[in-house]
Amino acid sequence: MEMRSLGSSGLEVSRLGFGAWQLGGHGWGDCDQDRTARAVRDALDNGINFFDTADVYGLGESERQLSKALGSQRHEVVIATKFGVRWNQRHETWKDISPSYLVDALEKSLRRLKIDRIPLYYVHWPDGRTPIEEAMAALAKQRDAGKIAAVGVSNFSATQIRAAAEVTEIAAVQMQFSLINREVLAQVRPTLKELNIPLVAWGGLTKGLLTGKFSPQTQFAEDDNRHRDPDFLGARFLANLKVADGLKTLSTRLSRTPAQIAIRWLLDSPGTTAVLAGAKTTEQVLENCQASGWRLDDDDYKYLDRLADEPRLPAVN
């Protein structure tokens, strides 16, 4: 498994990370918790030491299940979690990155994860109200108190990343990035390069779309978040399937699966430190792990670039 340092944070992470949203138990259709827990342990056995979750995934359940699946090894791996989306008893959610909420959210995540310090703690989303500088100062205070090892931000604009970096060291920026969703290239990559901040890509397989397992006839249940995701709707879904078909074409020649090629393209993209990939089964973990340890040649990388450059159609609501 390829490894990289997250800046000067002292954290060494596998370049393939395990995305644990599905451990929350909702939003992904049928999900067998026992099988997913085995997938976590198989990820460990295959060299993955980077596990990504958030307090809002399953309204705390993903953190609890991840801790349970990792067992005593939860103290030996790099767990990243996030705060900034609150919820109430009616399961209504809203964004809040205020310093007062941070303290409460952090303590609850520590209890659910059953660890004394969170290795990497992200602001999940800006809330549009709290000044970035105030939120980052509060995070730095918690890091100095030993509750956090490193601070990250997720889904921030280039301007917001700059504001955050002026307050404290940012160990990682997490952004949506895939062959289908490449806005990060133009929006934040120049800033990350200038400030020397590692990029952690989420959504690298576009919720499974780039695995090649879907067709124009695919339908998703109402309890599956893809049921309402713009990437899976109307003409945009059909256009995205053409990218998946292009991966299948390359897959035959390289004797790699579309998922492995899609992840490898991200890993080979300049500035990408790690790629998160969710998995519900051991088979998916083992497939994803085979994206490590090789590189695309220049012609194949350029082919995928051309494939990704084809105009993406707007969502149909």
Side-chain angles (χ1 to χ4, degrees):
M1 179 60 64
E2 300 169 38
M3 306 292 290
R4 286 279 178 87
S5 296
L6 287 181
S8 59
S9 67
L11 298 175
E12 185 89 0
V13 301
S14 53
R15 295 198 70 200
L16 179 66
F18 186 100
W21 183 0
Q22 69 282 5
L23 284 170
H26 74 83
W28 291 95
D30 183 35
C31 186
D32 185 308
Q33 290 289 7
D34 290 337
R35 292 181 71 194
T36 308
R38 285 197 297 273
V40 170
R41 294 191 290 272
D42 287 322
L44 280 167
D45 291 342
N46 283 273
I48 293 177
N49 79 332
F50 193 22
F51 294 84
D52 183 90
T53 184
D55 57 3
V56 74
Y57 296 165
L59 309 184
E61 191 63 18
S62 175
E63 290 180 327
R64 282 188 286 267
Q65 292 299 325
L66 178 61
S67 178
K68 181 179 178 181
L70 289 170
S72 62
Q73 288 179 283
R74 66 186 180 276
H75 302 292
E76 303 165 14
V77 300
V78 178
I79 297 175
T81 192
K82 315 173 194 73
F83 93 100
V85 182
R86 299 184 70 165
W87 63 90
N88 59 25
Q89 292 182 344
R90 296 187 297 276
H91 296 180
E92 298 167 333
T93 61
W94 66 97
K95 296 170 185 173
D96 184 354
I97 64 170
S98 62
S100 59
Y101 177 60
L102 160 65
V103 174
D104 180 60
L106 175 57
E107 292 298 332
K108 288 178 179 176
S109 285
L110 286 166
R111 289 197 296 271
R112 286 190 291 259
L113 290 165
K114 297 183 179 180
I115 54 179
D116 297 323
R117 182 174 67 166
I118 293 173
L120 177 58
Y121 198 49
Y122 291 102
V123 180
H124 202 159
W125 297 87
D127 65 12
R129 300 180 306 279
T130 306
I132 298 299
E133 294 82 359
E134 288 185 14
M136 302 315 298
L139 282 163
K141 182 178 179 180
Q142 294 299 322
R143 185 188 56 209
D144 293 344
K147 299 292 183 70
I148 302 166
V151 172
V153 298
S154 177
N155 306 306
F156 272 38
S157 69
T159 299
Q160 291 165 337
I161 291 169
R162 287 184 180 278
E166 288 179 0
V167 176
T168 189
E169 180 182 356
I170 305 301
V173 168
Q174 188 177 137
M175 297 291 294
Q176 184 178 25
F177 183 26
S178 73
L179 276 164
I180 287 174
N181 296 298
R182 301 204 306 162
E183 291 83 359
V184 66
L185 294 174
Q187 293 176 355
V188 305
R189 179 176 279 175
T191 299
L192 299 183
K193 182 178 180 180
E194 178 188 341
L195 299 178
N196 196 30
I197 300 175
L199 170 66
V200 176
W202 69 265
L205 295 178
T206 315
K207 298 181 179 178
L209 200 157
L210 295 178
T211 64
K213 63 185 179 182
F214 302 133
S215 74
Q217 290 72 44
T218 301
Q219 296 184 346
F220 299 95
E222 291 189 8
D223 65 346
D224 189 315
N225 70 83
R226 289 168 290 198
H227 176 76
R228 59 185 181 278
D229 189 312
D231 277 328
F232 291 81
L233 297 176
R236 183 167 170 177
F237 181 43
L238 297 178
N240 289 340
L241 287 175
K242 292 181 180 180
V243 179
D245 287 341
L247 282 169
K248 290 180 184 178
T249 299
L250 189 57
S251 172
T252 300
R253 189 168 66 76
L254 295 181
S255 297
R256 302 278 183 178
T257 69
Q260 290 163 0
I261 296 170
I263 293 171
R264 188 68 246 177
W265 180 83
L266 286 168
L267 292 170
D268 288 346
S269 296
T272 304
T273 295
V275 176
L276 303 174
K280 295 196 288 187
T281 67
T282 293
E283 291 76 18
Q284 290 172 342
V285 168
L286 297 179
E287 178 183 357
N288 293 342
C289 284
Q290 293 303 309
S292 182
W294 58 285
R295 293 183 65 87
L296 291 162
D297 66 29
D298 288 344
D299 287 343
D300 291 334
Y301 188 87
K302 290 175 182 176
Y303 163 78
L304 292 171
D305 263 352
R306 291 194 299 272
L307 189 67
D309 280 338
E310 294 182 6
R312 299 267 64 78
L313 296 178
V316 176
N317 294 318

